[in-house]
Amino acid sequence: MTDTKITLPEAEIPTHFYNIAPDLPTPLPPPLHPGTRQPIGPADLAPIFPMALIRQEVSVEPAVEIPDEVREIYRLYRPSPVFRARALEAALDTPAHIYYKSEHVSPVGSHKLNTALVQAWANKQEGVKRLATETGAGQWGSALACACRLMGLECMVYMVRVSYDTKPYRRIMIQSYGGQIVPSPSPLTQAGRAILAEHPDSPGSLGIAISEAVEDAAGRDDTKYSLGSVLNHVILHQTIIGQEAKKQMELAGEYPDILIGCHGGGSNFAGLTFPFLEDKLKGRRPALRAIAVEPASCPTLTKGPREYDFGDTAGLTPLLMMHTLGHNFVPPPVHSGGLRYHGSAPLVSHLLAAGMIEAEAYDQRSVFESAVQFARCEGTIPAPESAHAVHAAMRQALLARESGEAKVILFNLSGHGNFDMAAYDAFLSGQMDGGV
Amino acid sequence: MTDTKITLPEAEIPTHFYNIAPDLPTPLPPPLHPGTRQPIGPADLAPIFPMALIRQEVSVEPAVEIPDEVREIYRLYRPSPVFRARALEAALDTPAHIYYKSEHVSPVGSHKLNTALVQAWANKQEGVKRLATETGAGQWGSALACACRLMGLECMVYMVRVSYDTKPYRRIMIQSYGGQIVPSPSPLTQAGRAILAEHPDSPGSLGIAISEAVEDAAGRDDTKYSLGSVLNHVILHQTIIGQEAKKQMELAGEYPDILIGCHGGGSNFAGLTFPFLEDKLKGRRPALRAIAVEPASCPTLTKGPREYDFGDTAGLTPLLMMHTLGHNFVPPPVHSGGLRYHGSAPLVSHLLAAGMIEAEAYDQRSVFESAVQFARCEGTIPAPESAHAVHAAMRQALLARESGEAKVILFNLSGHGNFDMAAYDAFLSGQMDGGV
């Protein structure tokens, strides 16, 4: 048999997350208090996050231990395989070696469960009974609903209305796990009511839904808030992806020239790339490239300035130093609901400013064209979000064909498209626009 | 870590399928020609099947080799893990040990890809360019569309109308793989037109769709027919499930007391159980129980007589000796589209008549209640078909609680429910009837 699939034994599930903070070329600018605009401390975050996660958010320890109970549940789907996309390479007639890490194999179909389990566990340790969160396409909401159920917590999900309406199956999945869910903007919160008063037909946005979930958590003693991307501790939890992938590439006898992940809030991109970028930051792999791929309809990294901005629309969250399209930006209702976020992870923004990573943006029709070709070669239908990484990887493979270089490309297949068939239908029937 | 997950190394992907034919207590009654009602020979099947599969259909060799090219693609998802459902055991407070084999991990989400790949490969070897088939819930159609694409064949799918209308995502998945698909009964065939003339609103049935696909294949030189269950060679290919599971249970240090699979045409039930039943047929495990679980709305094994009947509605196929509700039986449109078949595998029917296996039937509301409880304990949402196995396994676990016996139960989780959220919605919102 050829080396198409690279697996790891279960004993190789990492015991610690990799923290990039101590390896950064310059320290991360601190978050600012939304009222005073002064750097915030742990106490400021305590109303909405448990202390264990706040400590992780500001940690400069190089490694953070993974709880045993979380590692035990990781075994449902981890270590996830790395595949060499040989059929795709043949179809593209490229000398490049294309690898992908398979995060779509989790029970909820995406990488989001990696952090959801840690967050639910950490909250449970501190006596929290209920988590409130937002979700775009529904990957995060279903992951948190599943994690809460497995850990014995309740879950409340504010789902961006356009996704709620176009992706009913994600709503039902959340309900199947026993989660509560409402379309956002909702009449349940002040933030939601304010938007509805002005825009009764608002399609919603992640920024609005975050405002609602934060308000929900801040207003109830039994409830904390949970975020599926952007923040340092979320990215920390996703580094399990890149740590496994590093071992797997070693087993394949190769080191990637180019790493690729799609970019919404930054966690799947960072999760795959940070453990490799450690080598670049420490001077061991100066030529390593890492490309964050976003939709042209929401070009945060490629067109947004890097400045302090709110994480949500209502201005309830701390101000983060990040690439942003402005916290009032409402992206068009493209099919990649998970990439419709005005901001970006401060860590990703920081590395982009430092020239350590790159960003690219593509229109959704090109992205789906690549996604369909990938499915027909490799069998798995990618989520629209992950299809951005597929597209950029195929583009690099075609550039390698032109230059005749046997580039090694590794991308993150962060989720499957089983819940996104309406988007594929639009594409296959010629009814999809470019989304720009 | 506990022994929650039992994996096999890739080298343990079986090299041969297990053929139960030589181990049967009495020989299987032969299929009869639909015109002459005399036993048919290989030549009679040649217009619709390739010779390699016809040889497998009648083979009495104890083992049939798996082609290397197929084993290579199996590595996308095989060996599939066996899980011990510890959270479910705790929720049921049962002394039973509940294990499940995870066939839902394939790229198309079910066990159906196991045989689809072999069938596409065998047809390609004999120069066939196109396969025609039917599908109920869409698991089989999407598996064959995927396999055809990976092997370089065209695929034509006749999908039972009620599923076509209620499961648009399966249609789109088939199209994403480049397959052609029409609702059945369709105006494309004589069989379809005859039904439509009498019942313009026919919800369709597997029997009707088979008639259409067989007619399609018989009428075109470049096309053969492909069936996703029932026949001996299909069951042969699914024995890879039970062979792996046997090794995995050995690793767990247990031997099942009770094996459970849902039953539509019989292939996933047989695939899991036959390699274990070899031990019973050879006298090594006389007490081993194997339970086939069907919907009360389509009680083929529990209420249908065993007699010669057509596999399809129009009477185009050979007559098979099987439990049947009659080839004109059109089951109510329950959510388990894949279990809406009037007949059953001759091999399964034969073993039932010999007293070697058992059959049970349950209403769909009870089945979904169990499915939701399973999802909330184990993370994976079962397909409605597989949920029948879940339900029967939970029932046995509760009986074990009553009797205080630490029974070892192994069931087949043949598919996930990602494409069946409308059914879960109906259940969760209280709008599902029992289906009987």
Side-chain angles (χ1 to χ4, degrees):
Chain A
M1 294 194 185
T2 58
D3 54 338
T4 303
K5 181 186 189 179
I6 307 145
T7 54
L8 286 179
E10 299 210 312
E12 301 271 0
I13 293 178
T15 56
H16 292 73
F17 297 118
Y18 163 65
N19 187 4
I20 202 168
D23 295 327
L24 292 175
T26 57
L28 204 60
L32 304 183
H33 191 281
T36 65
R37 303 221 165 199
Q38 293 301 307
I40 55 167
D44 295 309
L45 295 172
I48 58 168
F49 292 117
M51 278 314 295
L53 296 181
I54 295 170
R55 276 195 299 271
Q56 290 181 3
E57 187 66 21
V58 297
S59 168
V60 287
E61 292 299 312
V64 173
E65 196 172 2
I66 305 177
D68 280 347
E69 194 177 344
V70 170
R71 290 184 77 225
E72 185 61 39
I73 301 182
Y74 277 163
R75 299 175 73 222
L76 277 173
Y77 63 102
R78 306 212 72 86
S80 70
V82 164
F83 287 100
R84 170 113 180 244
R86 288 190 185 270
L88 183 65
E89 289 172 17
L92 298 176
D93 189 23
T94 176
H97 296 187
I98 307 175
Y99 293 87
Y100 59 96
K101 178 72 168 162
S102 299
E103 290 298 304
H104 66 288
V105 299
S106 88
V108 298
S110 84
H111 68 294
K112 294 288 188 186
L113 195 55
N114 297 336
T115 182
L117 287 166
V118 189
Q119 293 191 44
W121 181 87
N123 276 283
K124 187 175 70 166
Q125 300 314 304
E126 299 185 21
V128 176
K129 303 290 180 213
R130 177 177 175 273
L131 289 179
T133 197
E134 72 292 330
T135 197
Q139 285 188 347
W140 169 243
S142 47
L144 192 68
C146 180
C148 280
R149 190 72 195 197
L150 296 182
M151 293 289 179
L153 301 182
E154 286 175 57
C155 184
M156 175 73 199
V157 180
Y158 295 85
M159 185 169 188
V160 176
R161 172 166 288 281
V162 59
S163 294
Y164 186 93
D165 290 341
T166 58
K167 303 197 171 190
Y169 281 19
R170 279 286 179 191
R171 163 182 63 79
I172 303 164
M173 189 179 206
I174 289 165
Q175 292 169 329
S176 296
Y177 289 128
Q180 265 195 291
I181 178 166
V182 287
S184 164
S186 84
L188 302 185
T189 66
Q190 218 173 314
R193 288 190 294 271
I195 302 275
L196 287 173
E198 238 185 291
H199 306 287
D201 295 330
S202 166
S205 70
L206 276 173
I208 296 169
I210 293 174
S211 294
E212 293 207 89
V214 168
E215 183 185 327
D216 178 316
R220 285 181 61 152
D221 279 348
D222 64 345
T223 301
K224 297 276 184 198
Y225 170 68
S226 181
L227 188 68
S229 190
V230 179
L231 297 180
N232 302 345
H233 69 273
V234 182
I235 283 175
L236 179 76
H237 305 155
Q238 294 296 358
T239 59
I240 194 168
I241 302 171
Q243 288 188 78
E244 286 179 6
K246 249 180 122 168
K247 291 182 193 167
Q248 288 163 308
M249 292 306 294
E250 209 175 304
L251 287 175
E254 307 217 76
Y255 193 96
D257 296 301
I258 306 169
L259 298 163
I260 296 172
C262 66
H263 183 276
S267 78
N268 107 71
F269 168 75
L272 175 71
T273 61
F274 281 12
F276 289 95
L277 284 171
E278 179 187 4
D279 294 336
K280 180 167 179 149
L281 291 165
K282 290 183 170 162
R284 295 190 294 254
R285 292 283 175 176
L288 177 62
R289 297 177 62 194
I291 305 172
V293 191
E294 54 189 16
S297 56
C298 192
T300 313
L301 297 176
T302 49
K303 297 212 174 141
R306 179 168 176 250
E307 60 193 24
Y308 272 111
D309 193 11
F310 296 105
D312 69 327
T313 300
L316 297 176
T317 72
L319 292 148
L320 302 172
M321 174 58 90
M322 60 184 178
H323 282 275
T324 174
L325 295 163
H327 62 278
N328 287 314
F329 179 79
V330 177
V334 290
H335 290 284
S336 302
L339 306 185
R340 291 175 70 250
Y341 183 58
H342 69 272
S344 55
L347 280 168
V348 171
S349 297
H350 197 66
L351 288 169
L352 185 61
M356 300 303 289
I357 63 168
E358 307 163 43
E360 298 176 352
Y362 295 101
D363 74 279
Q364 68 176 352
R365 217 160 34 206
S366 307
V367 163
F368 272 84
E369 201 172 313
S370 294
V372 167
Q373 190 172 4
F374 177 84
R376 292 179 180 181
C377 289
E378 301 295 320
T380 298
I381 299 179
E385 293 81 4
S386 318
H388 286 74
V390 171
H391 178 68
M394 287 170 64
R395 191 175 161 273
Q396 289 297 331
L398 292 172
L399 290 173
R401 181 173 73 184
E402 280 171 37
S403 67
E405 292 172 288
K407 293 280 187 196
V408 177
I409 300 165
L410 169 64
F411 73 89
N412 197 16
L413 190 63
S414 55
H416 64 57
N418 290 356
F419 291 89
D420 306 282
M421 286 294 133
Y424 280 89
D425 200 27
F427 173 75
L428 292 168
S429 62
Q431 284 160 359
M432 178 180 284
D433 61 33
V436 282
Chain B
M1 293 193 185
T2 58
D3 55 338
T4 303
K5 182 187 189 181
I6 306 146
T7 54
L8 286 179
E10 300 212 309
E12 300 272 0
I13 294 178
T15 56
H16 292 72
F17 297 117
Y18 163 65
N19 187 4
I20 202 169
D23 295 326
L24 292 176
T26 57
L28 204 59
L32 305 182
H33 191 281
T36 65
R37 304 222 164 198
Q38 293 301 307
I40 54 166
D44 295 309
L45 294 171
I48 59 168
F49 291 118
M51 277 316 295
L53 296 181
I54 295 171
R55 277 194 300 270
Q56 290 181 1
E57 187 66 19
V58 298
S59 168
V60 288
E61 292 298 314
V64 173
E65 195 172 2
I66 305 178
D68 281 345
E69 194 177 343
V70 170
R71 290 184 79 226
E72 184 62 38
I73 300 181
Y74 277 163
R75 298 175 73 219
L76 277 173
Y77 62 103
R78 307 211 72 87
S80 70
V82 163
F83 288 100
R84 170 111 181 245
R86 287 189 187 271
L88 183 65
E89 290 173 16
L92 298 176
D93 188 24
T94 177
H97 297 188
I98 308 174
Y99 292 88
Y100 59 96
K101 178 72 169 162
S102 300
E103 290 298 304
H104 67 286
V105 299
S106 87
V108 299
S110 84
H111 68 295
K112 294 288 188 184
L113 195 56
N114 297 337
T115 181
L117 287 166
V118 190
Q119 293 192 44
W121 181 86
N123 277 283
K124 188 174 71 167
Q125 300 313 303
E126 298 186 20
V128 175
K129 303 291 180 214
R130 178 176 174 273
L131 289 179
T133 197
E134 72 291 329
T135 197
Q139 286 187 348
W140 169 242
S142 48
L144 192 68
C146 179
C148 280
R149 189 71 194 197
L150 297 182
M151 293 290 179
L153 302 182
E154 286 175 56
C155 185
M156 174 74 199
V157 180
Y158 294 85
M159 184 169 188
V160 175
R161 170 163 293 278
V162 60
S163 294
Y164 186 93
D165 290 342
T166 57
K167 303 197 173 192
Y169 281 19
R170 279 287 179 190
R171 163 183 63 77
I172 303 163
M173 189 180 206
I174 289 165
Q175 292 170 327
S176 296
Y177 288 129
Q180 266 195 291
I181 179 167
V182 287
S184 166
S186 84
L188 301 185
T189 65
Q190 220 173 312
R193 287 189 296 270
I195 303 275
L196 287 173
E198 238 184 292
H199 307 286
D201 294 331
S202 166
S205 71
L206 276 173
I208 296 170
I210 293 174
S211 295
E212 293 207 89
V214 169
E215 183 185 327
D216 178 315
R220 287 181 60 154
D221 279 349
D222 63 346
T223 300
K224 297 276 184 198
Y225 169 69
S226 180
L227 188 68
S229 191
V230 179
L231 298 180
N232 302 344
H233 69 273
V234 181
I235 284 175
L236 179 77
H237 305 154
Q238 294 295 358
T239 59
I240 193 167
I241 302 171
Q243 288 189 79
E244 286 179 6
K246 249 181 121 167
K247 291 182 194 167
Q248 288 163 309
M249 292 306 294
E250 211 176 302
L251 287 174
E254 306 217 78
Y255 193 95
D257 296 302
I258 305 170
L259 299 163
I260 295 172
C262 66
H263 183 276
S267 77
N268 105 72
F269 168 76
L272 174 71
T273 61
F274 280 12
F276 290 95
L277 285 171
E278 180 187 3
D279 294 336
K280 179 166 178 151
L281 292 165
K282 290 182 170 162
R284 295 191 293 253
R285 292 281 175 179
L288 176 63
R289 296 177 63 194
I291 305 173
V293 191
E294 53 189 18
S297 55
C298 192
T300 313
L301 297 177
T302 48
K303 295 209 175 143
R306 179 168 175 251
E307 59 193 24
Y308 272 111
D309 193 10
F310 296 105
D312 69 327
T313 300
L316 298 176
T317 70
L319 292 147
L320 303 172
M321 173 58 89
M322 61 184 179
H323 282 276
T324 174
L325 296 162
H327 62 277
N328 287 314
F329 179 78
V330 176
V334 291
H335 290 284
S336 301
L339 305 186
R340 293 175 70 251
Y341 183 57
H342 69 273
S344 57
L347 280 169
V348 171
S349 297
H350 197 65
L351 288 169
L352 185 61
M356 301 303 290
I357 64 168
E358 306 162 45
E360 297 175 351
Y362 295 101
D363 74 280
Q364 68 177 352
R365 218 163 30 208
S366 308
V367 162
F368 272 84
E369 202 173 312
S370 295
V372 167
Q373 190 173 4
F374 177 84
R376 291 178 181 182
C377 289
E378 301 295 321
T380 298
I381 300 178
E385 293 82 4
S386 318
H388 287 74
V390 172
H391 178 67
M394 287 170 63
R395 190 174 163 275
Q396 289 298 330
L398 292 172
L399 290 173
R401 180 173 73 185
E402 281 172 38
S403 67
E405 292 172 289
K407 292 280 189 196
V408 178
I409 300 165
L410 168 64
F411 72 89
N412 197 16
L413 189 63
S414 56
H416 63 59
N418 290 356
F419 291 89
D420 306 282
M421 286 294 132
Y424 280 88
D425 201 26
F427 173 75
L428 292 167
S429 62
Q431 284 162 358
M432 178 180 284
D433 61 34
V436 282

mmCIF file of all heavy atoms in Angstrom, chain B residues 156-159 161 181-196 208-209 212-213:
data_model
loop_
_atom_site.group_PDB
_atom_site.id
_atom_site.type_symbol
_atom_site.label_atom_id
_atom_site.label_comp_id
_atom_site.label_asym_id
_atom_site.label_seq_id
_atom_site.Cartn_x
_atom_site.Cartn_y
_atom_site.Cartn_z
ATOM 1 N N MET B 156 -26.029 6.410 -12.824
ATOM 2 C CA MET B 156 -27.415 6.854 -12.999
ATOM 3 C C MET B 156 -28.241 6.303 -11.838
ATOM 4 O O MET B 156 -28.288 5.095 -11.628
ATOM 5 C CB MET B 156 -27.956 6.299 -14.323
ATOM 6 C CG MET B 156 -29.422 6.576 -14.549
ATOM 7 S SD MET B 156 -29.685 8.333 -14.967
ATOM 8 C CE MET B 156 -31.434 8.502 -14.623
ATOM 9 N N VAL B 157 -28.887 7.201 -11.089
ATOM 10 C CA VAL B 157 -29.598 6.786 -9.872
ATOM 11 C C VAL B 157 -31.098 7.066 -9.991
ATOM 12 O O VAL B 157 -31.502 8.203 -10.278
ATOM 13 C CB VAL B 157 -29.044 7.522 -8.634
ATOM 14 C CG1 VAL B 157 -29.788 7.084 -7.365
ATOM 15 C CG2 VAL B 157 -27.550 7.287 -8.470
ATOM 16 N N TYR B 158 -31.916 6.039 -9.773
ATOM 17 C CA TYR B 158 -33.364 6.198 -9.660
ATOM 18 C C TYR B 158 -33.693 6.242 -8.166
ATOM 19 O O TYR B 158 -33.538 5.250 -7.464
ATOM 20 C CB TYR B 158 -34.094 5.031 -10.348
ATOM 21 C CG TYR B 158 -33.867 5.018 -11.844
ATOM 22 C CD1 TYR B 158 -32.733 4.409 -12.399
ATOM 23 C CD2 TYR B 158 -34.754 5.659 -12.711
ATOM 24 C CE1 TYR B 158 -32.506 4.422 -13.772
ATOM 25 C CE2 TYR B 158 -34.540 5.682 -14.085
ATOM 26 C CZ TYR B 158 -33.411 5.056 -14.607
ATOM 27 O OH TYR B 158 -33.181 5.081 -15.964
ATOM 28 N N MET B 159 -34.130 7.420 -7.702
ATOM 29 C CA MET B 159 -34.343 7.586 -6.252
ATOM 30 C C MET B 159 -35.838 7.572 -5.928
ATOM 31 O O MET B 159 -36.618 8.302 -6.549
ATOM 32 C CB MET B 159 -33.728 8.908 -5.785
ATOM 33 C CG MET B 159 -33.813 9.125 -4.263
ATOM 34 S SD MET B 159 -32.785 10.543 -3.737
ATOM 35 C CE MET B 159 -32.886 10.399 -1.941
ATOM 36 N N ARG B 161 -39.326 8.353 -4.919
ATOM 37 C CA ARG B 161 -39.789 9.736 -4.922
ATOM 38 C C ARG B 161 -39.932 10.343 -3.529
ATOM 39 O O ARG B 161 -39.517 11.485 -3.292
ATOM 40 C CB ARG B 161 -41.109 9.914 -5.681
ATOM 41 C CG ARG B 161 -41.688 11.323 -5.457
ATOM 42 C CD ARG B 161 -42.748 11.828 -6.392
ATOM 43 N NE ARG B 161 -42.336 12.068 -7.745
ATOM 44 C CZ ARG B 161 -41.707 13.175 -8.180
ATOM 45 N NH1 ARG B 161 -41.336 14.108 -7.327
ATOM 46 N NH2 ARG B 161 -41.419 13.322 -9.433
ATOM 47 N N ILE B 181 -29.403 11.783 -11.493
ATOM 48 C CA ILE B 181 -30.431 11.270 -10.588
ATOM 49 C C ILE B 181 -31.808 11.748 -11.021
ATOM 50 O O ILE B 181 -31.965 12.895 -11.444
ATOM 51 C CB ILE B 181 -30.110 11.676 -9.125
ATOM 52 C CG1 ILE B 181 -31.192 11.161 -8.170
ATOM 53 C CG2 ILE B 181 -29.922 13.171 -8.970
ATOM 54 C CD1 ILE B 181 -30.778 11.252 -6.706
ATOM 55 N N VAL B 182 -32.807 10.828 -10.941
ATOM 56 C CA VAL B 182 -34.205 11.186 -11.200
ATOM 57 C C VAL B 182 -35.082 10.564 -10.117
ATOM 58 O O VAL B 182 -34.739 9.514 -9.576
ATOM 59 C CB VAL B 182 -34.724 10.676 -12.565
ATOM 60 C CG1 VAL B 182 -34.130 11.468 -13.712
ATOM 61 C CG2 VAL B 182 -34.475 9.182 -12.723
ATOM 62 N N PRO B 183 -36.220 11.231 -9.810
ATOM 63 C CA PRO B 183 -37.154 10.597 -8.872
ATOM 64 C C PRO B 183 -37.865 9.428 -9.553
ATOM 65 O O PRO B 183 -38.172 9.498 -10.739
ATOM 66 C CB PRO B 183 -38.137 11.720 -8.530
ATOM 67 C CG PRO B 183 -38.036 12.707 -9.645
ATOM 68 C CD PRO B 183 -36.668 12.573 -10.236
ATOM 69 N N SER B 184 -38.103 8.377 -8.761
ATOM 70 C CA SER B 184 -38.768 7.175 -9.282
ATOM 71 C C SER B 184 -40.106 6.979 -8.580
ATOM 72 O O SER B 184 -40.168 7.105 -7.358
ATOM 73 C CB SER B 184 -37.870 5.955 -9.038
ATOM 74 O OG SER B 184 -38.604 4.765 -9.223
ATOM 75 N N PRO B 185 -41.194 6.653 -9.278
ATOM 76 C CA PRO B 185 -41.272 6.321 -10.707
ATOM 77 C C PRO B 185 -40.972 7.534 -11.606
ATOM 78 O O PRO B 185 -41.421 8.640 -11.318
ATOM 79 C CB PRO B 185 -42.718 5.851 -10.887
ATOM 80 C CG PRO B 185 -43.476 6.382 -9.707
ATOM 81 C CD PRO B 185 -42.484 6.476 -8.592
ATOM 82 N N SER B 186 -40.238 7.264 -12.698
ATOM 83 C CA SER B 186 -39.843 8.322 -13.640
ATOM 84 C C SER B 186 -40.441 8.045 -15.006
ATOM 85 O O SER B 186 -40.813 6.899 -15.296
ATOM 86 C CB SER B 186 -38.321 8.353 -13.760
ATOM 87 O OG SER B 186 -37.883 7.378 -14.707
ATOM 88 N N PRO B 187 -40.516 9.056 -15.833
ATOM 89 C CA PRO B 187 -41.009 8.821 -17.208
ATOM 90 C C PRO B 187 -39.922 8.249 -18.128
ATOM 91 O O PRO B 187 -40.173 8.044 -19.303
ATOM 92 C CB PRO B 187 -41.438 10.231 -17.656
ATOM 93 C CG PRO B 187 -40.633 11.172 -16.824
ATOM 94 C CD PRO B 187 -40.276 10.469 -15.542
ATOM 95 N N LEU B 188 -38.738 7.958 -17.591
ATOM 96 C CA LEU B 188 -37.628 7.514 -18.441
ATOM 97 C C LEU B 188 -37.702 6.032 -18.806
ATOM 98 O O LEU B 188 -37.013 5.591 -19.712
ATOM 99 C CB LEU B 188 -36.282 7.763 -17.739
ATOM 100 C CG LEU B 188 -35.941 9.200 -17.353
ATOM 101 C CD1 LEU B 188 -34.528 9.264 -16.779
ATOM 102 C CD2 LEU B 188 -36.071 10.121 -18.558
ATOM 103 N N THR B 189 -38.504 5.261 -18.058
ATOM 104 C CA THR B 189 -38.563 3.821 -18.325
ATOM 105 C C THR B 189 -40.015 3.388 -18.508
ATOM 106 O O THR B 189 -40.951 4.054 -18.042
ATOM 107 C CB THR B 189 -37.985 3.001 -17.154
ATOM 108 O OG1 THR B 189 -38.819 3.193 -16.003
ATOM 109 C CG2 THR B 189 -36.559 3.442 -16.816
ATOM 110 N N GLN B 190 -40.159 2.225 -19.140
ATOM 111 C CA GLN B 190 -41.486 1.645 -19.321
ATOM 112 C C GLN B 190 -42.106 1.326 -17.955
ATOM 113 O O GLN B 190 -43.276 1.595 -17.715
ATOM 114 C CB GLN B 190 -41.318 0.335 -20.096
ATOM 115 C CG GLN B 190 -42.374 0.091 -21.140
ATOM 116 C CD GLN B 190 -42.014 -1.149 -21.966
ATOM 117 O OE1 GLN B 190 -40.870 -1.277 -22.421
ATOM 118 N NE2 GLN B 190 -42.982 -2.043 -22.130
ATOM 119 N N ALA B 191 -41.286 0.755 -17.063
ATOM 120 C CA ALA B 191 -41.779 0.406 -15.723
ATOM 121 C C ALA B 191 -42.270 1.646 -14.983
ATOM 122 O O ALA B 191 -43.341 1.644 -14.370
ATOM 123 C CB ALA B 191 -40.660 -0.274 -14.914
ATOM 124 N N GLY B 192 -41.504 2.728 -15.068
ATOM 125 C CA GLY B 192 -41.891 3.964 -14.397
ATOM 126 C C GLY B 192 -43.147 4.563 -14.994
ATOM 127 O O GLY B 192 -44.062 4.990 -14.269
ATOM 128 N N ARG B 193 -43.224 4.571 -16.330
ATOM 129 C CA ARG B 193 -44.400 5.142 -17.001
ATOM 130 C C ARG B 193 -45.668 4.365 -16.662
ATOM 131 O O ARG B 193 -46.742 4.955 -16.489
ATOM 132 C CB ARG B 193 -44.170 5.161 -18.524
ATOM 133 C CG ARG B 193 -43.161 6.227 -18.970
ATOM 134 C CD ARG B 193 -43.120 6.383 -20.495
ATOM 135 N NE ARG B 193 -42.653 5.199 -21.194
ATOM 136 C CZ ARG B 193 -41.370 4.950 -21.495
ATOM 137 N NH1 ARG B 193 -40.421 5.813 -21.155
ATOM 138 N NH2 ARG B 193 -41.037 3.849 -22.141
ATOM 139 N N ALA B 194 -45.541 3.036 -16.546
ATOM 140 C CA ALA B 194 -46.718 2.210 -16.213
ATOM 141 C C ALA B 194 -47.261 2.572 -14.827
ATOM 142 O O ALA B 194 -48.478 2.692 -14.632
ATOM 143 C CB ALA B 194 -46.350 0.725 -16.280
ATOM 144 N N ILE B 195 -46.370 2.752 -13.870
ATOM 145 C CA ILE B 195 -46.813 3.118 -12.515
ATOM 146 C C ILE B 195 -47.441 4.512 -12.533
ATOM 147 O O ILE B 195 -48.508 4.739 -11.946
ATOM 148 C CB ILE B 195 -45.618 3.115 -11.526
ATOM 149 C CG1 ILE B 195 -44.911 1.763 -11.495
ATOM 150 C CG2 ILE B 195 -46.087 3.540 -10.125
ATOM 151 C CD1 ILE B 195 -45.493 0.727 -10.589
ATOM 152 N N LEU B 196 -46.772 5.444 -13.202
ATOM 153 C CA LEU B 196 -47.262 6.837 -13.223
ATOM 154 C C LEU B 196 -48.645 6.928 -13.862
ATOM 155 O O LEU B 196 -49.479 7.740 -13.449
ATOM 156 C CB LEU B 196 -46.267 7.744 -13.961
ATOM 157 C CG LEU B 196 -44.967 8.058 -13.200
ATOM 158 C CD1 LEU B 196 -43.993 8.832 -14.099
ATOM 159 C CD2 LEU B 196 -45.260 8.843 -11.919
ATOM 160 N N ILE B 208 -40.105 -0.502 -7.158
ATOM 161 C CA ILE B 208 -40.328 0.222 -8.421
ATOM 162 C C ILE B 208 -39.005 0.743 -8.967
ATOM 163 O O ILE B 208 -38.699 0.625 -10.157
ATOM 164 C CB ILE B 208 -41.309 1.399 -8.182
ATOM 165 C CG1 ILE B 208 -42.689 0.873 -7.753
ATOM 166 C CG2 ILE B 208 -41.406 2.266 -9.434
ATOM 167 C CD1 ILE B 208 -43.651 1.965 -7.261
ATOM 168 N N ALA B 209 -38.199 1.326 -8.098
ATOM 169 C CA ALA B 209 -36.937 1.922 -8.539
ATOM 170 C C ALA B 209 -35.997 0.853 -9.104
ATOM 171 O O ALA B 209 -35.264 1.105 -10.067
ATOM 172 C CB ALA B 209 -36.285 2.675 -7.387
ATOM 173 N N GLU B 212 -36.907 0.117 -12.623
ATOM 174 C CA GLU B 212 -36.425 1.150 -13.556
ATOM 175 C C GLU B 212 -34.940 0.997 -13.855
ATOM 176 O O GLU B 212 -34.506 1.094 -15.005
ATOM 177 C CB GLU B 212 -36.712 2.532 -12.970
ATOM 178 C CG GLU B 212 -38.196 2.837 -12.888
ATOM 179 C CD GLU B 212 -38.465 4.332 -12.941
ATOM 180 O OE1 GLU B 212 -38.615 4.870 -14.059
ATOM 181 O OE2 GLU B 212 -38.505 4.960 -11.860
ATOM 182 N N ALA B 213 -34.161 0.755 -12.799
ATOM 183 C CA ALA B 213 -32.711 0.664 -12.998
ATOM 184 C C ALA B 213 -32.334 -0.578 -13.800
ATOM 185 O O ALA B 213 -31.454 -0.527 -14.668
ATOM 186 C CB ALA B 213 -31.997 0.674 -11.647
#
